[in-house]
Amino acid sequence: MNTERKGCRVKVSGYQMFWMISISSMIMFSYLPIKLAAEKAHQDSWISILLGSMIMMAVTWLILRVCKQNKEKTLVGFMKDLLGTLLGKIIVTVYFLHWFMQMSFLAKGTADFHNLVILHNTPMFVILFCLIVLVAYAVYKGGITAISRCAEIIGPFFVTVLYVQLFLNPQDMDMKRILPVYADSGWFSILEGAFRSFNYMVDPSIILMLFFFAENKQTVSRAILWGTAVAMGWGVLATLVVLFVTGPNLAAEMVYPVYSMTKFVSILNFVQNIDAFYIPLWIFGAFIKVSVCLFILSYGLSEWTGFKNWKLIGCIIAVIWLAFVIYSPHNIRISNTLKNMLLIGFFYPVVYIGIPLILWIIGSIKKHRRA
């Protein structure tokens, strides 16, 4: 199979993949999961987050099994092989829609974040236009190579600052705020919190496309698992810190709980206002995440349609993306849309677990028959 399309070469190292996955996952984790878990499990939300993280690690392992069975093809290619051209293309379309919605959700959230913390009174269109043009330019000029190199440079600072930030509020932490454990919530609320929050912790479906671009398929599997584990560990710690500092009721109301922690930092009245470091890194992280989504969507659509110029497709998607985020009738930030039971109870479980599990079973049967 031709492993290259126009302007795109396969050369992402395991090290670069580790940073892309960890940054993309931590950006996702910094939004909804803590809030959703706290709404249902209150002071036991850290248990919900821990359970959700374990589920996501298992889902990542499952998706890597699928990728290893079809390591010479992208999602579009092996979906057609396993399910047939028509059904394969229909199901791939679901992933395309999913990635487009992820991009829209993050772009809107990033624009709202800019408006809230640094660019007050700036028109939403201006912020979105600058973000989307920058992302489209990076994808057009450098593709996955440019994105992975950016992640390689940003990643160490991004992960270090987000981990260190969690330990800068010792004076405000009260561990009694997570007590009593289990007694008030019970197993049903804890499971409900895990069920609602795990859908928004990471997006493991991007691996189905990214795996194809890895230099070494063996080492990149470990890199992806470690990248996911770093994000999951940070998410559990962040939930505990938010609970220690604010308690469960306030945690359930916060729009940006992790960012809010930076406002509490005050060490000897000297180390303060660390949000000046956090905000740029968070924006860089969001840039990596949406760039990855735009690239895999463009490349996948190129394969899906047979039109080889995926860069042109990327530019067209960027225009549609900008128009959709601006004119969408739904508030796609933290709204009821993202808490919809159709999404949480059906769509995400099918996209993250159901389809990869079917692909793995079919792939295993075919491999067994060939043996």
Side-chain angles (χ1 to χ4, degrees):
M1 178 184 173
N2 183 18
T3 58
E4 295 182 8
R5 297 183 85 78
K6 187 176 180 179
C8 184
R9 295 181 179 178
V10 181
K11 56 178 187 178
V12 178
S13 68
Y15 182 73
Q16 292 170 328
M17 192 70 80
F18 168 82
W19 291 117
M20 276 200 295
I21 295 298
S22 56
I23 292 173
S24 300
S25 304
M26 289 172 78
I27 282 294
M28 292 288 290
F29 221 133
S30 64
Y31 263 119
L32 274 178
I34 298 174
K35 175 183 175 67
L36 292 178
E39 285 177 351
K40 293 297 174 184
H42 308 293
Q43 72 268 26
D44 291 322
S45 54
W46 67 275
I47 305 176
S48 298
I49 293 292
L50 182 61
L51 290 174
S53 299
M54 293 167 68
I55 295 171
M56 267 304 167
M57 287 301 297
V59 171
T60 304
W61 178 86
L62 170 65
I63 286 178
L64 284 173
R65 297 298 98 192
V66 176
C67 292
K68 281 187 172 181
Q69 286 178 339
N70 308 277
K71 55 188 176 184
E72 300 303 326
K73 296 176 182 176
T74 65
L75 172 67
V76 180
F78 68 74
M79 193 75 86
K80 285 193 291 185
D81 287 350
L82 296 175
L83 301 177
T85 302
L86 180 61
L87 183 58
K89 281 194 170 186
I90 291 172
I91 294 180
V92 166
T93 307
V94 175
Y95 283 96
F96 290 162
L97 291 172
H98 169 59
W99 294 331
F100 185 81
M101 288 305 298
Q102 288 261 329
M103 288 163 49
S104 303
F105 160 61
L106 275 168
K108 184 70 165 59
T110 303
D112 286 341
F113 186 68
H114 276 76
N115 254 154
L116 180 69
V117 299
I118 51 177
L119 299 175
H120 311 291
N121 302 321
T122 302
M124 185 69 70
F125 172 80
V126 174
I127 300 172
L128 285 170
F129 181 79
C130 293
L131 172 68
I132 292 176
V133 167
L134 179 63
V135 170
Y137 179 77
V139 172
Y140 183 85
K141 292 297 288 184
I144 192 64
T145 304
I147 300 167
S148 59
R149 285 181 179 169
C150 286
E152 186 179 11
I153 295 170
I154 296 166
F157 300 101
F158 180 86
V159 174
T160 302
V161 168
L162 261 66
Y163 262 97
V164 169
Q165 170 219 342
L166 300 179
F167 301 97
L168 297 181
N169 301 93
Q171 75 283 359
D172 296 314
M173 292 187 188
D174 183 357
M175 296 187 183
K176 293 179 181 177
R177 289 188 173 124
I178 65 167
L179 299 177
V181 176
Y182 185 77
D184 286 349
S185 305
W187 65 269
F188 184 78
S189 296
I190 292 173
L191 287 179
E192 194 175 5
F195 179 68
R196 284 174 172 265
S197 59
F198 99 93
N199 297 295
Y200 295 106
M201 287 179 179
V202 301
D203 178 9
S205 67
I206 62 174
I207 300 169
L208 292 167
M209 282 294 291
L210 286 178
F211 193 86
F212 169 75
F213 299 96
E215 276 183 339
N216 186 318
K217 310 298 186 193
Q218 189 62 38
T219 57
V220 82
S221 297
R222 291 196 294 272
I224 289 171
L225 283 172
W226 275 111
T228 307
V230 165
M232 296 298 99
W234 176 81
V236 175
L237 279 175
T239 306
L240 280 168
V241 169
V242 170
L243 291 173
F244 289 159
V245 175
T246 68
N249 294 329
L250 194 54
E253 298 296 328
M254 286 181 169
V255 178
Y256 303 104
V258 179
Y259 165 72
S260 299
M261 291 300 97
T262 64
K263 309 299 287 184
F264 289 86
V265 173
S266 178
I267 300 176
L268 301 176
N269 291 321
F270 179 72
V271 179
Q272 295 176 327
N273 300 320
I274 67 162
D275 51 324
F277 297 95
Y278 176 85
I279 292 169
L281 285 172
W282 195 93
I283 294 170
F284 282 137
F287 164 76
I288 296 293
K289 172 64 181 174
V290 292
S291 297
V292 168
C293 286
L294 180 60
F295 171 76
I296 60 176
L297 183 56
S298 306
Y299 197 89
L301 272 171
S302 172
E303 282 193 298
W304 195 88
T305 59
F307 183 66
K308 292 186 177 180
N309 193 344
W310 64 269
K311 291 184 175 183
L312 178 59
I313 293 176
C315 293
I316 295 171
I317 293 173
V319 174
I320 297 171
W321 177 24
L322 178 62
F324 178 81
V325 176
I326 292 174
Y327 295 110
S328 173
H330 298 291
N331 179 4
I332 55 176
R333 198 180 64 173
I334 299 175
S335 66
N336 289 331
T337 302
L338 295 173
K339 300 176 186 176
N340 187 296
M341 281 309 295
L342 183 64
L343 280 177
I344 294 175
F346 177 74
F347 182 79
Y348 289 123
V350 168
V351 168
Y352 293 159
I353 303 174
I355 296 174
L357 185 61
I358 292 171
L359 295 176
W360 185 43
I361 292 171
I362 295 175
S364 300
I365 293 171
K366 285 193 171 184
K367 184 180 178 181
H368 179 72
R369 286 180 176 174
R370 286 196 298 266

